[in-house]
Amino acid sequence: MKVARFHAPGDIRVEDAPEPVAGPGELKIRVRNCSTCGTDVKIFKHGHHHIRPPRVMGHEIAGEVVGTGERVQVIAAIPCGTCEECRRGRRTVCPNQESMGYHYDGGFAEYMVIPAKVRAVDGVNAIPPGVGFAEASVAEPLACVLNGQSLARVGAGDDVVVMGAGPIGCLHVRLARARGAARVFLVDVNAERLAMAADLVRPDAVVDTDAVDQVLKLTGGRGADVVITAAASGAAQEQALRMAARQARISFFGGLPKDAPIIALDSNLVHYRELTIVGANGSSPAHNAEALRLIAEGLVPVADLITHRLPLSQVLDGIDLVSRGAAIKVTIEP
Ligand SMILES: [Zn+2]
Ligand SMILES: [Zn+2]
């Protein structure tokens, strides 16, 4: 079968590999869609300390179980299910977390094996009728977005700012609407990408320069109730604090490059305005199941966000599209 394997930074090869064989407790699936995201770009450029090459990449996975034909979506982050955090229900911050496409071969392949550990934490979800494989593969990033917005308590009547108009930003806009946000504003420094995203997700306003001033103007000087940074930008995080309303919640959804993780923030803004700053680290198996339900019920449509469908042989083109911000969602069809 064909797979796309990471060998070293800058070196992903589409090559032949033997079909994997499922051991006890494992599940073999025929991958139908495995979508790409900024994480794949990061791995391609810099590698990842959890990846020991060669490794089949791909973590936004949907396919058919070999033998039964059951249509399934698979989690990416695998909590251990037994540590103190997992026992307390905090599965997104399990210190023993492993990931598909990192510790285990992922979905850029015709066939793959789902580890027993994934099944043990209910990490394989049946795809509801009417939901395509490509849409189902977007349940994983939507699950991460769901985790972020639940930690930031996005709810009815909120004015929400999403900074970053990539696929994650688009999902944030859609989910905020589904959760009853009053208005959603989309911010990006790349005017072209902003226009492409806004065309699809129709925010109440778009902002490409002077983000803080513009958001204050749009909110009558109050600021936003929730600000979500869906970009690996310290500047965006600093701006987020300054455009936040009193008692606002700020989600540092996107992580920063590991060589530049320090930002400057006015701690008195946090103190006097009673701000809450939250992080977000992936998603739990329950978030994946919930994301699939939101897609199936039409509450968060994702089909139109899939702008490119490519065969496995073009996985590098897909990663390039994502890296240039020239696509919303790129999905690979092995
Ligand atoms: Zn991803
Ligand atoms: Zn754990």
Side-chain angles (χ1 to χ4, degrees):
M1 67 166 185
K2 291 282 182 213
V3 301
R5 267 200 292 234
F6 173 85
H7 286 264
D11 183 8
I12 293 175
R13 300 177 206 163
V14 177
E15 54 197 10
D16 287 309
E19 256 184 51
V21 178
E26 297 177 342
L27 214 52
K28 180 173 169 179
I29 68 167
R30 172 73 181 91
V31 181
R32 291 299 178 192
N33 280 90
C34 186
S35 295
T36 63
C37 74
T39 304
D40 298 312
V41 175
K42 258 193 270 181
I43 294 170
F44 175 61
K45 289 187 175 159
H46 310 292
H48 191 280
H49 64 283
H50 283 144
I51 296 182
R52 257 188 292 147
R55 172 65 72 215
V56 178
M57 290 172 56
H59 60 270
E60 302 183 0
I61 303 161
E64 272 166 327
V65 177
V66 173
T68 69
E70 194 197 359
R71 291 158 18 93
V72 294
Q73 179 266 344
V74 183
I75 60 170
I78 314 161
C80 75
T82 56
C83 73
E84 185 64 20
E85 303 311 329
C86 283
R87 280 206 303 273
R88 289 170 184 250
R90 300 171 186 162
R91 295 196 162 194
T92 54
V93 289
C94 167
N96 309 317
Q97 188 184 84
E98 295 183 319
S99 300
M100 298 305 296
Y102 293 66
H103 303 80
Y104 305 97
D105 280 342
F108 291 156
E110 289 177 67
Y111 293 92
M112 67 179 290
V113 159
I114 311 298
K117 280 183 177 177
V118 169
R119 301 183 71 193
V121 294
D122 297 323
V124 182
N125 295 304
I127 300 174
V131 177
F133 289 113
E135 290 168 83
S137 73
V138 181
E140 191 280 329
L142 179 58
C144 301
V145 165
L146 190 55
N147 178 40
Q149 291 204 14
S150 114
L151 289 165
R153 306 189 313 275
V154 175
D158 284 335
D159 277 345
V160 177
V161 171
V162 176
M163 303 184 78
I168 289 288
C170 288
L171 291 172
H172 271 298
V173 173
R174 288 250 162 102
L175 182 63
R177 294 247 192 254
R179 294 172 75 100
R183 294 183 296 175
V184 187
F185 306 124
L186 187 57
V187 178
D188 202 298
V189 289
N190 177 340
E192 220 168 288
R193 181 163 92 148
L194 183 60
M196 178 169 62
D199 236 24
L200 287 166
V201 298
R202 303 268 163 211
D204 292 278
V206 292
V207 175
D208 63 357
T209 48
D210 302 320
V212 175
D213 289 349
Q214 291 302 318
V215 168
L216 289 177
K217 203 175 286 174
L218 286 162
T219 53
R222 240 188 107 236
D225 301 291
V226 180
V227 185
I228 299 164
T229 61
S233 160
Q237 293 185 346
E238 291 174 1
Q239 289 168 2
L241 263 287
R242 290 163 40 220
M243 63 174 74
R246 286 167 173 77
Q247 285 198 350
R249 290 85 67 200
I250 295 113
S251 169
F252 288 171
F253 185 86
L256 298 185
K258 60 174 185 299
D259 56 349
I262 309 295
I263 62 165
L265 70 83
D266 182 345
S267 155
N268 275 338
L269 280 182
V270 179
H271 175 76
Y272 289 112
R273 296 189 168 203
E274 300 186 352
L275 304 180
T276 304
I277 302 173
V278 295
N281 182 54
S283 60
S284 70
H287 290 128
N288 279 254
E290 174 70 2
L292 209 44
R293 187 188 69 82
L294 290 169
I295 293 170
E297 293 182 2
L299 295 168
V300 181
V302 298
D304 60 340
L305 301 182
I306 301 161
T307 51
H308 296 74
R309 292 168 183 260
L310 300 175
L312 187 60
S313 57
Q314 289 178 38
V315 69
L316 284 168
D317 299 327
I319 289 173
D320 181 57
L321 280 166
V322 175
S323 143
R324 289 187 288 116
I328 301 291
K329 203 70 187 161
V330 179
T331 193
I332 303 298
E333 311 198 308

